[in-house]
């Protein structure tokens, strides 16, 4: 068989920049097949996906992905480190994947690889520098960036490398590859025309952030130029049927309700909660009833908006530190969301290459036959996440879609 390319994505939503990356990665690596490990209904930055995971899988397959595998929610909503490691664990377990391609803000992969090497081995001097920076009350990402630049002793060369979202994920992919001693070869593509958080856009290119912002503010006029036709069509179809979730604030009442009914000890068990933050969260939940007000009360130099949003999402989904710790020790299953004819061939080759791999094509069948409690807990969290996600719909908020929705086949 030909070369197989792996991509990790959220496709929230799939736009022209994603299509550019996919087509260039295929060309650069000479790959004949493409597997996407895709985040589902909730995202790594603590928000909700615009459209559901099956709609995203359909868009991905219509635009050149052969096989879409869901990244379980315990990874998909986690820190960059656990997000990346979960995705790489799945890609590596497939055996057949030759490359992973990811977007970066820098074209110098050697810089990213050097950073990944330090973060993987954690030399004593670096750990001392990190502790010193954390003692200043900085957030962990900023403290890590400062410590790395001081350790490398070249601020000019490494400035802003660790403050760019795609670079951070790229470093974590590289670190995970080292940790797993994977044979998958990394391949990076510099971002095309617009930045990750850029709200501006060119004639036919915009970031996912800009597109989500347009939709939230009813600015639909430019959308058809910024997305492939199939992606735009599926987005509009979901919008007309009332199946759009604009962002996490849609669930603000559910989140505040959860936090008001939780004890401070239970809040302390939410991932990313430390140093007494549970008391501030409890006080905020008891004194406000909007998402934005809550964020403004809690955020500080140490606690970034993204970190707080993730904590609130964990509260909504009922995810605990213990469950995140379990995900770090578990080899995840392969949950197929969608595939085409080449994807069907890939699945058969994957099953041959790794006969012991847990491949889920039917949640009902897997639940009935599975005896692995860790995998069942992980899958239960995916099911819960879908059931909660559909509460955000304006129409037809059905539950148990993980049992009733068919795999997308094209």
């Amino acid at each position: 068989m030909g070369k197989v390319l792996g991509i990790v994505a959220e496709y929230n939503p799939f736009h022209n920049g994603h299509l550019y990356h996919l087509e260039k990665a295929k060309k650069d690596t000479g790959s004949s097949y493409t597997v996407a490990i895709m985040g589902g209904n909730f995202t790594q930055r603590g928000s909700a996906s615009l459209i559901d995971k099956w709609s995203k899988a359909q868009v991905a397959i219509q635009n050149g992905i052969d096989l879409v595998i869901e990244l379980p929610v315990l990874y998909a909503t986690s820190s960059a480190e656990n997000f990346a490691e979960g995705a790489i664990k799945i890609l590596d377990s497939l055996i057949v994947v030759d490359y992973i391609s990811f977007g970066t803000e820098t074209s110098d992969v050697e810089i990213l690889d050097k950073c990944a090497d330090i973060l993987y081995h954690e030399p004593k001097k670096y750990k001392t520098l990190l502790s010193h920076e954390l003692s200043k009350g900085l957030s962990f990402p900023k403290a890590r960036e400062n410590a790395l630049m001081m350790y490398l002793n070249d601020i000019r060369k490494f400035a802003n490398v660790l403050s760019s979202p795609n670079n951070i994920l790229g470093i974590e992919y590289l670190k995970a590859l080292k940790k797993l001693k994977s044979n998958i070869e990394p391949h990076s593509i510099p971002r095309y025309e617009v930045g990750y958080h850029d709200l501006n856009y060119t004639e036919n290119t915009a970031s996912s952030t800009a597109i989500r912002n347009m939709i939230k503010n009813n600015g639909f006029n430019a959308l058809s130029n910024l997305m492939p036709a199939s992606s735009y069509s599926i987005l509009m179809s979901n919008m007309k049927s009332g199946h759009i979730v604009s962002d996490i604030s849609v669930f603000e009442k559910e989140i505040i309700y959860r936090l008001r009914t939780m004890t401070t000890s239970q809040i302390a068990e939410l991932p990313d909660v430390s140093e007494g933050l549970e008391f501030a969260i409890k006080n905020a939940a008891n004194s406000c009833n909007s998402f934005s007000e809550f964020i403004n009360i809690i955020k500080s130099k140490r606690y970034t908006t993204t970190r707080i949003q993730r904590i609130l999402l964990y509260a909504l989904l009922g995810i605990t530190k213990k469950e995140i710790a379990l995900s770090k020790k578990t080899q995840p299953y392969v949950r197929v969301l969608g595939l085409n004819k080449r994807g069907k061939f890939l699945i058969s080759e994957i099953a041959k290459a790794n006969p012991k791999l847990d491949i889920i094509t039917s949640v009902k069948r897997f639940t009935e036959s599975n005896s692995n409690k860790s995998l069942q807990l992980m899958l239960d969290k995916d099911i819960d996440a879908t059931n909660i996600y559909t509460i955000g719909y304006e129409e037809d908020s059905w539950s148990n879609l993980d049992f009733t929705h068919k795999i997308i086949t094209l």
Side-chain angles (χ1 to χ4, degrees):
M1 63 184 286
K3 297 291 183 183
V4 180
L5 170 69
I7 286 175
V8 183
E10 288 181 321
Y11 292 151
N12 184 34
F14 192 103
H15 54 66
N16 290 341
H18 292 132
L19 184 61
Y20 165 81
H21 173 264
L22 175 57
E23 291 180 343
K24 182 163 175 49
K26 282 183 177 179
K27 184 178 179 181
D28 289 354
T29 60
S31 295
S32 306
Y33 303 90
T34 310
V35 179
I37 309 298
M38 190 185 75
N41 293 325
F42 293 94
T43 72
Q44 195 267 329
R45 295 186 65 79
S47 194
S49 179
L50 266 176
I51 56 177
D52 70 271
K53 58 191 180 186
W54 292 283
S55 295
K56 292 197 295 182
Q58 184 174 346
V59 172
I61 293 167
Q62 287 178 339
N63 285 279
I65 299 289
D66 300 314
L67 174 63
V68 179
I69 295 167
E70 180 177 6
L71 181 63
V73 72
L74 290 180
Y75 302 110
T77 60
S78 198
S79 65
E81 180 181 41
N82 202 37
F83 176 96
E85 189 170 323
I88 296 297
K89 281 197 287 191
I90 295 173
L91 279 177
D92 193 61
S93 72
L94 305 182
I95 307 296
V96 302
V97 177
D98 299 287
Y99 304 98
I100 175 175
S101 181
F102 46 86
T104 57
E105 282 86 5
T106 176
S107 57
D108 193 342
V109 183
E110 286 186 14
I111 287 179
L112 301 183
D113 194 57
K114 194 164 187 178
C115 291
D117 211 49
I118 294 163
L119 295 177
Y120 172 56
H121 292 289
E122 290 193 316
K124 188 176 179 180
K125 182 183 174 183
Y126 162 73
K127 290 175 80 171
T128 302
L129 290 167
L130 178 61
S131 296
H132 180 261
E133 291 302 299
L134 285 170
S135 69
K136 296 178 181 178
L138 299 175
S139 67
F140 182 80
K142 187 62 183 175
R144 189 173 77 160
E145 180 184 359
N146 291 352
L148 260 176
M149 284 197 292
M150 285 187 282
Y151 181 86
L152 293 163
N153 198 27
D154 193 341
I155 292 175
R156 180 178 295 180
K157 185 175 182 180
F158 293 94
N160 300 320
V161 167
L162 279 169
S163 61
S164 304
N166 284 286
N167 285 348
I168 292 169
L169 272 175
I171 289 166
E172 294 298 346
Y173 294 139
L174 293 168
K175 190 174 82 174
L177 289 171
K178 293 174 190 292
K179 183 177 179 179
L180 295 171
K181 296 178 172 54
S182 176
N183 292 321
I184 297 173
E185 186 177 326
H187 172 265
S188 75
I189 295 175
R191 280 193 71 88
Y192 178 64
E193 291 191 7
V194 294
Y196 185 89
H197 292 305
D198 201 339
L199 294 179
N200 298 314
Y201 54 92
T202 65
E203 184 179 349
N204 58 13
T205 307
S207 68
S208 295
T209 305
I211 292 172
R212 291 194 299 272
N213 192 60
M214 287 180 212
I215 293 168
K216 194 174 180 181
N217 295 299
N218 296 315
F220 304 115
N221 294 340
L223 280 182
S224 60
N225 294 325
L226 302 172
M227 309 167 72
S230 57
S231 182
Y232 177 76
S233 173
I234 288 173
L235 178 65
M236 290 297 107
S237 175
N238 275 275
M239 196 168 292
K240 286 175 184 175
S241 61
H243 291 182
I244 289 282
V245 180
S246 58
D247 65 22
I248 193 66
S249 65
V250 168
F251 303 100
E252 62 185 5
K253 297 294 189 258
E254 288 84 354
I255 292 170
I256 292 169
Y257 164 77
R258 282 274 179 104
L259 292 170
R260 286 189 177 185
T261 57
M262 292 170 76
T263 64
T264 50
S265 297
Q266 289 171 326
I267 294 172
E269 289 306 307
L270 296 174
D272 285 352
V273 174
S274 60
E275 301 163 317
L277 182 61
E278 62 269 24
F279 297 102
I281 290 173
K282 186 65 174 176
N283 288 336
N286 287 339
S287 63
C288 68
N289 66 357
S290 80
F291 194 82
S292 57
E293 186 183 358
F294 193 107
I295 295 285
N296 288 331
I297 290 172
I298 302 293
K299 72 178 180 182
S300 65
K301 184 168 68 170
R302 183 179 283 275
Y303 300 109
T304 62
T305 297
T306 299
R307 181 172 173 180
I308 296 166
Q309 281 195 190
R310 268 207 302 268
I311 291 169
L312 299 183
L313 180 56
Y314 292 140
L316 176 68
L317 300 179
I319 292 173
T320 65
K321 287 175 179 172
K322 186 178 179 180
E323 288 160 350
I324 293 293
L326 178 141
S327 75
K328 292 178 180 180
K329 296 184 290 185
T330 302
Q331 175 58 52
Y333 44 71
V334 172
R335 166 84 186 278
V336 179
L337 290 180
L339 72 176
N340 58 19
K341 284 184 179 180
R342 286 191 298 275
K344 286 181 181 178
F345 172 74
L346 269 179
I347 281 291
S348 67
E349 292 299 303
I350 290 164
K352 287 180 201 171
N354 189 352
K356 294 182 179 179
L357 190 61
D358 292 289
I359 300 174
I360 302 177
T361 54
S362 165
V363 168
K364 184 175 183 292
R365 278 202 306 270
F366 181 79
T367 300
E368 289 171 348
S369 62
N370 171 55
S371 60
N372 186 315
K373 290 182 180 179
S374 296
L375 292 185
Q376 191 58 53
L377 183 146
M378 190 176 284
L379 184 59
D380 287 343
K381 287 296 173 182
D382 288 349
I383 294 165
D384 290 346
T386 304
N387 289 342
I388 292 168
Y389 179 80
T390 57
I391 292 172
Y393 288 174
E394 292 180 4
E395 305 284 344
D396 301 326
S397 298
W398 299 106
S399 67
N400 292 322
L401 292 181
D402 284 284
F403 291 95
T404 61
H405 204 298
K406 294 180 179 179
I407 289 175
I408 302 298
T409 55
L410 294 176

